[in-house]
Amino acid sequence: MNDNNALDFELLNGYLDNLGKEMLRKMFALYTQQAPKYIQAISQSLIEDSSEQWQESCHKMKGAASSTGFLLVREKLIAMEKSNGSATVKREQIELLKEINKRTELAFSQWLESC
């Protein structure tokens, strides 16, 4: 993963200019609090073998990632939302999502502290 492409810097710099660093901290805190819940919902949809719930859960997290400027997370969720793969493939997608999300959260945190 190229962490330089993980974030939408144009969006984030706009937020920084218009909302300030403290509001970005709050947005990030909210995202990091909600992300595990989104991932759990995606995982639960796999357990319940519900394609509709899978798509809805991926879509919800995709929106949160988009509004937080998490480009790679958003891209992964776009692919997952459309996925018709087996349970094994979907489990692998969830694990990769977790890794991408973790690294993107780190990149965001480092960017914010450098501002």
Side-chain angles (χ1 to χ4, degrees), residues 6 11 13 16 19 21 39 43 50 52 64 67 79 86 89-90 92 94 98-99 110-111:
L11 175 71
N13 284 318
L16 187 60
L19 302 173
K21 192 170 185 176
I39 292 170
S43 298
S50 172
E52 184 177 323
S67 66
S86 68
V89 168
K90 287 183 175 181
E92 290 170 0
I94 292 168
K98 289 177 185 177
E99 179 62 27
Q110 291 171 341
W111 169 79

Side-chain angles (χ1 to χ4, degrees), residues 24-85:
L24 276 171
R25 277 193 178 100
K26 290 179 182 179
M27 287 173 56
F28 180 62
L30 179 61
Y31 178 85
T32 57
Q33 180 183 55
Q34 292 299 108
K37 295 175 185 177
Y38 291 129
I39 292 170
Q40 177 57 38
I42 294 168
S43 298
Q44 187 62 36
S45 71
L46 183 58
I47 292 167
E48 295 177 8
D49 194 28
S50 172
S51 295
E52 184 177 323
Q53 186 181 348
W54 171 271
Q55 290 173 340
E56 287 175 14
S57 298
C58 289
H59 186 78
K60 285 179 185 176
M61 186 171 182
K62 179 181 73 178
S66 295
S67 66
T68 312
F70 282 30
L71 286 177
L72 289 179
V73 175
R74 178 182 175 273
E75 289 173 15
K76 180 63 184 159
L77 287 159
I78 287 170
M80 288 175 65
E81 184 177 9
K82 297 175 183 176
S83 175
N84 291 324

